[in-house]
C-alpha cells in the first residue's frame, strides 16, 4: 500500500513538473512616439492610391500563406522564447486556418490558433505582407492578449472580433468596437495590445528574412480599403475595426524598422526590447 502511495505521489509530482509554469508579466511596447509625430505621420496616408486585388489564384494565395507561416515558426523561436506569456515554449505550437469569409480580417483565437480570411489575402501583394499579417496574430498569442481581455472583468471588450459578454463567455460578433476607439478612450487597452503585437511581429519578420517595411505597406493598403479606419458601421468586422489609427501604427513601425536595422548593423541579437518595471 505504501508503495502504491509512493508511486502515485511520484506520478503526481512528475505531472506537476510537466505542467507549464504560469505566464510571467512581460511588456514589449516598442518605440514611443509623440503627439506631434503622429500628427505629422498622417500625411503619409494622403498619397495612397486605390488598391486592387493581386490577381493570384486561391491556391497560390494558400501556398504563400502556409509558406510564410512555416518560415515564421522555424525562425522565430528565440523571439517566442523571450516573449511568450502563455502555455507554449516555442513557435511550433501555432496553427493557421484559412477561412472562406468575405471580410478583410484575421484574428487569433484559443491558445494557439490563427484565422485568416481568404479575402484579405487577395489584396496582399507578396509573401512579406502575408507574413506580417500572420506574425501580427502570432504576436497576440505570444503576449497572451486574448486571455488578458478574456479575464478582465472591468468592462466589455471587443478584440479581433470577440466580445466578453456578461456571462463571462467570449463570443465572436460582427460589429465594430464603438465610439471612443482611441488612445484615451475605453479601448486604450486594446490599442496598447495592437502596438505591442506590431512591435513583436516586426522582429518575427526580420528573423525570418522578410522585409519589415512590408508591415507599413500592409497598413497603408488596409487604410485604402477601409478609409474610415474602424469608425464606420459594417456588416462584418474588418481588420482595422479593432486597431489603432493607421498613421499612429505607421510611425511606430518606422521607428521599429530603424531599431532592427541598427541591431543588424551592430550584429546584435534580433530580439524585441522588453520594458522592465522599476
Amino acid at each position: 500500500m505504501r508503495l502504491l502511495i509512493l508511486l502515485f505521489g511520484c506520478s503526481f509530482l512528475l505531472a506537476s513538473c510537466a505542467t507549464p509554469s504560469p505566464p510571467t508579466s512581460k511588456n514589449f511596447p516598442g518605440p514611443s512616439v509623440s503627439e506631434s509625430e503622429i500628427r505629422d505621420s498622417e500625411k503619409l496616408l494622403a498619397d495612397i492610391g486605390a488598391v486592387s486585388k493581386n490577381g493570384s489564384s486561391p491556391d497560390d494565395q494558400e501556398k504563400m500563406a502556409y509558406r510564410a507561416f512555416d518560415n515564421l515558426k522555424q525562425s522565430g523561436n528565440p523571439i517566442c522564447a523571450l516573449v511568450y506569456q502563455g502555455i507554449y515554449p516555442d513557435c511550433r505550437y501555432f496553427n493557421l486556418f484559412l477561412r472562406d469569409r468575405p471580410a478583410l480580417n484575421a484574428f487569433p483565437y484559443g491558445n494557439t490558433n490563427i484565422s485568416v480570411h481568404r479575402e484579405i489575402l487577395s489584396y496582399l501583394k507578396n509573401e512579406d505582407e502575408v507574413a506580417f499579417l500572420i506574425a501580427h496574430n502570432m504576436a497576440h498569442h505570444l503576449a497572451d492578449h486574448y486571455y488578458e481581455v478574456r479575464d478582465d472583468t472591468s468592462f466589455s471588450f471587443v478584440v479581433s472580433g470577440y466580445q466578453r459578454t456578461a456571462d463571462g463567455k467570449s463570443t465572436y460578433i460582427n460589429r465594430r468596437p464603438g465610439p471612443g476607439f482611441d488612445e484615451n478612450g475605453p479601448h486604450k487597452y486594446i490599442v496598447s495590445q495592437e502596438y505591442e503585437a506590431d512591435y513583436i511581429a516586426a522582429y518575427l519578420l526580420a528573423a525570418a528574412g522578410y522585409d519589415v517595411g512590408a508591415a507599413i505597406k500592409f497598413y497603408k493598403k488596409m487604410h485604402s480599403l477601409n478609409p474610415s479606419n474602424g469608425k464606420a458601421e459594417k456588416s462584418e468586422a474588418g481588420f482595422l475595426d479593432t486597431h489603432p489609427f493607421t498613421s499612429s501604427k505607421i510611425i511606430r513601425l518606422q521607428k521599429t524598422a530603424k531599431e532592427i536595422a541598427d541591431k543588424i548593423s551592430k550584429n546584435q541579437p534580433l530580439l524585441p526590447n522588453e520594458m522592465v518595471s522599476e
Side-chain angles (χ1 to χ4, degrees), residues 42 51 83 124 188 218:
E42 291 177 358
V51 176
V83 175
L124 303 185
K188 59 184 178 181
F218 171 87

Side-chain angles (χ1 to χ4, degrees), residues 176-255:
R176 65 189 180 94
F181 184 58
D182 57 45
E183 294 186 60
N184 300 312
H187 299 286
K188 59 184 178 181
Y189 193 19
I190 299 174
V191 171
S192 65
Q193 289 182 341
E194 294 302 334
Y195 291 148
E196 186 175 39
D198 281 347
Y199 181 60
I200 297 168
Y203 275 88
L204 288 169
L205 279 186
Y210 291 113
D211 177 19
V212 177
I216 296 172
K217 295 175 183 177
F218 171 87
Y219 278 120
K220 286 185 175 182
K221 189 168 294 184
M222 291 300 103
H223 176 81
S224 178
L225 293 169
N226 182 14
S228 61
N229 206 353
K231 293 179 284 187
E233 295 285 357
K234 289 185 287 297
S235 60
E236 186 162 358
F239 192 81
L240 289 183
D241 289 351
T242 51
H243 287 66
F245 299 136
T246 313
S247 58
S248 180
K249 296 174 78 68
I250 286 175
I251 190 65
R252 283 174 166 81
L253 283 166
Q254 286 178 330
K255 287 192 170 188

Side-chain angles (χ1 to χ4, degrees), residues 127-204:
E127 191 171 322
D128 300 78
E129 294 179 4
V130 174
F132 172 71
L133 174 64
I134 296 171
H136 176 91
N137 286 284
M138 288 174 64
H140 275 307
H141 276 308
L142 289 171
D144 210 34
H145 290 161
Y146 178 85
Y147 287 98
E148 284 179 359
V149 170
R150 188 201 67 173
D151 296 336
D152 192 298
T153 58
S154 60
F155 61 92
S156 178
F157 280 98
V158 178
V159 58
S160 299
Y162 281 88
Q163 181 185 34
R164 178 177 171 80
T165 55
D167 59 2
K169 296 180 180 179
S170 295
T171 305
Y172 185 79
I173 61 171
N174 292 330
R175 68 171 175 82
R176 65 189 180 94
F181 184 58
D182 57 45
E183 294 186 60
N184 300 312
H187 299 286
K188 59 184 178 181
Y189 193 19
I190 299 174
V191 171
S192 65
Q193 289 182 341
E194 294 302 334
Y195 291 148
E196 186 175 39
D198 281 347
Y199 181 60
I200 297 168
Y203 275 88
L204 288 169

